[in-house]
Structure formats: C-alpha cells, structure tokens
C-alpha cells in the first residue's frame, strides 16, 4: 500500500496553493493527477493538472473498477485512478491526493492508513473572496461551490487533522509538520 496524504476541504480554500508550497519544502512528495470530466481552464495542461476525459471515457473507467475513489462535484466527475497511485508511489515516496470530501471518505474506508488533512477557511466570507479573487470560475460555478462548501465545512469534524488556512505561511508550516510526522520523510 502506498503511503498517501489526502488533502481535502472546500474549493477555493487554498489546497492547490498549500500543496505547491509543501512540494517546494518536500520535493520528494509525489502528486496524484486526478481524472475529471470538467473542461480545462486557461493554462491547464492535459496529464499535468488533470487527466481530462469525456463523460464516456470516465464511465468506462468506473465500470472497469479503475478508480480508488470518484465523486460528482459541481456538475462534473472527478476521480483518482489506481494506475496513477501505483505509478506515483513506485519510487517509495508518499503520494499527495487533492480531492473533495466525498472522495476523502472513500479513501478513508479503503486506505485507512492514509493521512487525511482537512483545510478550513477562516470564514465563509474569506472563502467566497478567494473563489471570486481566483477569477477562474463563472459566478454560477462560484455559487455552486459555496453551496457545497457549507456541507463540506459541516463534515470537518470527521477529520483528525484540520488546518485553518488563514495566514498562508502558518498553514504551510503546520502542513509540513503533519506530513513529516505522519510519513516519516525528511
Ligand atoms: P483550492 O485548490 O482549494 O481550490 P486555491 O489554491 O486555488 O484553492 O486558492 C484559491 C485562491 O485563494 C487563490 O487565488 C489563492 O491565491 C488564494 N489563497 C490561498 N491561500 C490563501 C491565504 N492563506 N490567504 C489569502 N488567499 C489565499
Ligand atoms: P476544480 O474543478 O476546482 O479543479 O476541483 C473541484 C474539486 O474537486 C476540488 O475540491 C478538488 O479537490 C476536487 N478534486 C480534484 N480531483 C479529485 C479527485 O480525483 N477526486 C475527488 N473526489 N475530488 C477531486
């Protein structure tokens, strides 16, 4: 079983930003590239940001049992491919999964040894400001993500480790400590 670190929490809370900093501090960490049916945003690259696929391709992978976990989120499908985890963990380094809460629950059931960290915003207003400020999503997408965020925030007690991403540097420091302690790297 690969050593895995699941980073979850609402869209716009700063998961991607935190993981970029984490990987600068711990370059050995591998990042699992997810599959999605969502359209690529400007600047996103096939196979780097996501394995972008059609709904038909995604469904074929579901039917074949190729996913460790998968979920519907804000009108698209997202999932972690078993083959992706196997490739990324081949060198023995921990693999980071950046996934939403339904997926994190599935991983908790099937890979209970995986470390799970919930990233929380300082407030819902701050979350909205970040989603709007990121400028990547239409307002309907922002609203859909905020509606889901309220349910996701209600689920944070399920997670043994919660990091509030208020001041970025503090949150990065906390995350580095958790990952070092729980994966015995570095
Ligand atoms: P996620 O991956 O969780 O969807 P992002 O990493 O894309 O979130 O961050 C969403 C936006 O919030 C980005 O514009 C990012 O620069 C900003 N951001 C991230 N962390 C902080 C923070 N601690 N304080 C203020 N803005 C932040
Ligand atoms: P975005 O469209 O902003 O890239 O991602 C939307 C949400 O889907 C984010 O919360 C992100 O963490 C989550 N996500 C990305 N990849 C996966 C995945 O493989 N599985 C699951 N369950 N969620 C994912």
């Amino acid at each position: 079983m690969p050593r895995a670190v699941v980073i979850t929490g609402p869209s716009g809370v700063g998961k991607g930003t935190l993981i970029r900093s984490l990987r600068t501090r711990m370059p050995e960490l591998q990042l699992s590239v997810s599959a999605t049916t969502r359209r690529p945003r400007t600047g996103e690259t096939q196979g780097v940001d996501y394995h972008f696929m059609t709904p038909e391709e995604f469904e074929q992978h579901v039917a074949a049992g190729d996913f460790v976990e998968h979920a519907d989120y804000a009108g698209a499908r997202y999932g972690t491919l078993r083959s992706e985890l196997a490739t990324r963990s081949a060198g023995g380094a921990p693999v980071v999964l950046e996934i939403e809460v339904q997926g994190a629950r599935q991983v908790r059931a099937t890979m209970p040894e995986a470390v799970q960290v919930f990233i929380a915003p300082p407030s819902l207003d701050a979350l909205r400001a970040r989603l709007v400020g990121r400028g990547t999503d239409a307002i309907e997408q922002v609203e859909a993500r905020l509606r889901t965020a309220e349910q996701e925030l209600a689920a944070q007690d399920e997670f043994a480790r919660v990091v509030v991403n208020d001041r970025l540097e503090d949150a990065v420091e906390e995350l580095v400590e958790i990952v070092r302690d729980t994966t015995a790297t570095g």
Side-chain angles (χ1 to χ4, degrees):
M1 268 296 178
R3 286 181 299 164
V5 179
V6 172
I7 308 285
T8 192
S11 179
V13 74
K15 300 184 296 296
T17 307
L18 285 167
I19 291 169
R20 269 194 298 282
S21 298
L22 179 68
R23 293 182 75 211
T24 312
R25 297 277 297 273
M26 303 179 74
E28 70 278 17
L29 293 179
Q30 299 293 305
L31 184 60
S32 164
V33 177
S34 296
T36 186
T37 62
R38 155 166 96 54
R39 291 286 186 85
R41 295 177 180 135
T42 309
E44 285 184 331
T45 306
Q46 174 71 289
V48 175
D49 297 286
Y50 278 105
H51 300 293
F52 294 101
M53 44 180 80
T54 63
E56 292 74 22
E57 285 169 325
F58 195 100
E59 186 50 40
Q60 279 168 15
H61 284 295
V62 173
D66 292 341
F67 286 113
V68 177
E69 60 75 32
H70 63 90
D72 291 351
Y73 179 91
R77 302 184 84 182
Y78 296 82
T80 305
L81 290 162
R82 290 181 201 287
S83 56
E84 178 71 25
L85 276 197
T87 315
R88 303 282 166 193
S89 59
V95 184
V96 175
L97 281 69
E98 195 242 278
I99 62 180
E100 52 69 73
V101 167
Q102 305 168 72
R105 287 191 181 121
Q106 294 168 45
V107 174
R108 195 189 303 145
T110 56
M111 298 170 61
E113 72 287 358
V115 181
Q116 298 222 342
V117 187
F118 186 97
I119 312 293
S123 67
L124 257 180
D125 282 349
L127 185 64
R128 173 187 291 274
R130 285 178 196 177
L131 271 173
V132 172
R134 185 168 71 184
T136 51
D137 300 289
I139 191 65
E140 306 81 57
Q141 266 292 324
V142 169
E143 293 303 338
R145 283 158 189 255
L146 283 170
R147 276 195 299 277
T148 308
E150 296 197 37
Q151 297 161 22
E152 292 176 317
L153 291 173
Q156 66 181 281
D157 291 350
E158 292 173 22
F159 295 87
R161 297 178 178 82
V162 178
V163 170
V164 179
N165 181 19
D166 188 354
R167 232 184 115 241
L168 185 64
E169 296 74 29
D170 295 344
V172 171
E173 208 55 52
E174 252 185 87
L175 199 55
V176 167
E177 263 176 48
I178 291 172
V179 175
R180 285 222 166 104
D181 288 354
T182 53
T183 63
T185 6

